[in-house]
Amino acid sequence: PYTPETDNRALIGDLLENGVVIDAKPPEQQGLLMQIFISWFPMLLLIGVWIFFMRQMQGGGGGRGALSFGKSRARLLGEDQVSVTFSDVAGVEEAKEEVVEIVDFLKDPGKFQRLGGKIQKGVLLVGEPGTGKTLLAKAVAGEAKVPFFSLSGSDFVEMFVGVGAARVRDLFAQAQAHAPSIIFIDELDALGKARGVTPVMGGHDEREQTLNQLLAEMDGFDTQKGGILMAATNRPEILDPA
């Protein structure tokens, strides 16, 4: 076969001398669209793989778009979905007495406001695993008949810096929209570890940014509308003092 990369003049001369008929055709050219596809295929493949992993990290998609990556993963229980009351919680009488005031506030925030009283923005439940911290928080919501947002501290932590902070903002925005309501964060130590103990790099940077956003949202949390943040942990000694 004829190859333009080599000098075939001698071969062509021999063929002509021996009466061989030469039929020359120009090489086939690929279409413009095919050339564009071949040149862009690796980039399109990388984009497709990136979108796939992003959707997997969001929990397999579930109808959620790429813009929902910073949405809160909190599970919302409506006021008619929380059936737990103080009668279902036993063995923590002192703790129940401490949170009765919160129930009264959530039932009628205006009564406290008329008297000039202010309710605390957050309540920390401390105890060993299985002692009923989550059950007590649900009982507060059940007694007050308010929506209950439940999630874990690890739900905020991601490998991408800024995602956890975006989820915190979205969580508090949802809570304000459903006020009066309760936000319950279980395993707070996954998010609220003391800052400055370990070098700030990589995942530590993301966790600290998320914690800073949580503190900022708590500072601006409008308790006058009836919003309470409750959290639980069994390792209070490692929490940030703030």
Side-chain angles (χ1 to χ4, degrees), residues 62-114:
R64 301 167 64 187
L67 296 178
S68 66
F69 193 54
K71 296 294 183 181
S72 170
R73 294 181 175 178
R75 186 165 60 97
L76 172 61
L77 298 177
E79 55 187 69
D80 56 342
Q81 294 179 284
V82 183
S83 58
V84 180
T85 61
F86 285 155
S87 61
D88 300 310
V89 183
V92 286
E93 299 302 325
E94 294 184 2
K96 286 193 288 186
E97 293 177 2
E98 292 287 339
V99 296
V100 165
E101 188 180 63
I102 297 177
V103 175
D104 294 337
F105 171 77
L106 292 173
K107 285 183 176 179
D108 187 9
K111 180 177 67 175
F112 283 76
Q113 296 170 12
R114 288 191 298 270

Side-chain angles (χ1 to χ4, degrees), residues 106 146-149 175-176 178-183 221 225-228:
L106 292 173
V146 296
F148 183 77
F149 291 86
Q176 292 284 21
H178 291 82
S181 61
I182 293 177
I183 298 175
F221 202 26
K225 294 183 179 180
I228 296 293

